[in-house]
Amino acid sequence: MIFKTVGDGRPYPEHGLGHREWAQIPPRQVRLDTLVTTKAVLDLHSLLAKDSTFYGDLFPHVVQWQGELYLEDGLHRALRAALHQRSVLHARVLELEN
């Protein structure tokens, strides 16, 4: 099993963070098997693209809410880590109040 659960949508409240605010959060290690995805479908072009992180954040975005870790952005990075047989990745984690 790669992820804890494959979800479809964001169950947590809107946080309103933009790229600048996400960049203020220092990355930390997160186990892949603790993540709940917010997307059930992945575009293979994104997964296989050599420059997929060129225009975006180097670190996936994770939202911690009600004891769960939701992978909001960076599904292709997480899958790449799994394909390289890594069980953890560095991600920016936003902790939302319950």
Side-chain angles (χ1 to χ4, degrees):
M1 171 169 41
I2 297 173
F3 300 113
K4 181 175 182 177
T5 306
V6 175
D8 192 16
R10 301 174 183 175
Y12 49 87
E14 179 61 40
H15 51 69
L17 262 61
H19 293 294
R20 284 189 182 172
E21 292 85 9
W22 275 108
Q24 304 287 325
I25 300 172
R28 70 178 204 205
Q29 284 190 345
V30 177
R31 291 185 51 86
L32 292 174
D33 62 1
T34 63
L35 294 174
V36 176
T37 69
T38 59
K39 297 176 185 171
V41 177
L42 173 72
D43 177 18
L44 250 149
H45 291 290
S46 295
L47 177 64
L48 301 175
K50 291 179 183 176
D51 64 347
S52 64
T53 59
F54 185 76
Y55 295 106
D57 195 342
L58 292 176
F59 301 102
H61 297 169
V62 173
V63 175
Q64 183 174 352
W65 185 65
Q66 294 185 343
E68 296 288 349
L69 294 172
Y70 294 95
L71 180 61
E72 179 175 288
D73 183 48
L75 179 58
H76 60 287
R77 292 178 192 91
L79 282 174
R80 267 200 209 134
L83 290 171
H84 285 55
Q85 298 182 348
R86 293 191 299 252
S87 59
V88 298
L89 77 155
H90 285 84
R92 300 184 192 278
V93 180
L94 171 65
E95 298 178 12
L96 289 182
E97 301 277 328
N98 289 337

